[in-house]
Structures are given as C-alpha cells and as structure tokens.
Amino acid sequence: MIKQMNLFDFIEPPVQPGEWLQESQLGEEMTFDEIAQSVGKVIAIDKSTQSHAWYKAVLVEKILERDEYDGIYRRLIYYDGAKQRGYISEMYFQADNLRNRQRAWRIR
C-alpha cells in the first residue's frame, strides 16, 4: 500500500525520558548550575561502562540542597522511565580527581 508523504514524516519526535541516545544526539556538555536551571527539561546523562559509551535521556525533576560530608551540596533528582527516581550529588559533577566523573549534555 502506498501512502502519501506528510511534512511530519521528516520531523523527529521529541526524546522521552528513559530512551538510550547515540553520541550524535548529544549537544554541549552542561555544568551543574546549567542543570539546576533546566528543571522540567530532558537532558542526557552519562551511563557509560569501561567498554562501552551509553547515554540516557532523563527528565530533571528538581534540585535539592543537602548537607554532605564536607559542606552543603545540591542533588539532582531525575526521572528516567523507571519506578524509582534517580539522584546524583553535585560533588560527582565537580570532582576532578574522580576517575568516573559524572557528565551531562543538552540534547540536540
């Protein structure tokens, strides 16, 4: 059956939380301050292993301030399509000495 082409056939649907992304879909890398301003938006976070690069789309739900070991840090609370919400402390985004520093990107 032949179908008539539609203008919307060429428009990609928006990325949904929980989708795995290709590296070509990543925009510029974000700082934690930029993530804190992106509440309600979908961003990509790094879920890579040593052998493979993985990127997952997550919805930034809120930023909480918590008293951590050596000061006050903010925490990113995100929704990635799973039942439970994920959270990542700000110190993992800023740590230069950590081997596996957390990273996040805008989605193109």
Side-chain angles (χ1 to χ4, degrees), residues 42-108:
V42 178
I43 64 170
I45 61 170
D46 191 0
K47 295 279 193 171
S48 297
T49 61
Q50 263 187 330
S51 61
H52 194 278
W54 299 96
Y55 308 101
K56 194 169 197 179
V58 299
L59 174 67
V60 179
E61 286 199 334
K62 57 185 163 184
I63 304 294
L64 295 178
E65 264 192 28
R66 286 309 254 304
D67 217 358
E68 297 268 334
Y69 308 104
D70 58 348
I72 295 176
Y73 284 97
R74 297 174 290 178
R75 285 190 176 171
L76 161 65
I77 308 295
Y78 65 87
Y79 173 68
D80 66 351
K83 265 187 180 179
Q84 294 184 343
R85 302 309 193 238
Y87 68 92
I88 305 171
S89 178
E90 176 182 18
M91 68 182 181
Y92 292 108
F93 284 91
Q94 296 175 341
D96 292 330
N97 59 352
L98 282 180
R99 192 177 76 192
N100 296 328
R101 184 175 74 90
Q102 183 63 53
R103 298 166 67 193
W105 295 268
R106 287 186 170 78
I107 298 175
R108 291 185 186 178

Side-chain angles (χ1 to χ4, degrees), residues 2 6-7 17 27 32-33 39-41 44-45 59 73 91 108:
I2 298 176
N6 188 339
L7 175 63
F32 197 85
D33 289 328
V39 173
K41 295 181 181 176
I45 61 170
L59 174 67
Y73 284 97
M91 68 182 181
R108 291 185 186 178

Side-chain angles (χ1 to χ4, degrees), residues 2-20:
I2 298 176
K3 176 178 123 175
Q4 182 176 357
M5 290 182 83
N6 188 339
L7 175 63
F8 298 106
D9 291 342
F10 300 103
I11 298 175
E12 290 186 30
V15 175
Q16 298 297 317
E19 289 184 23
W20 293 99

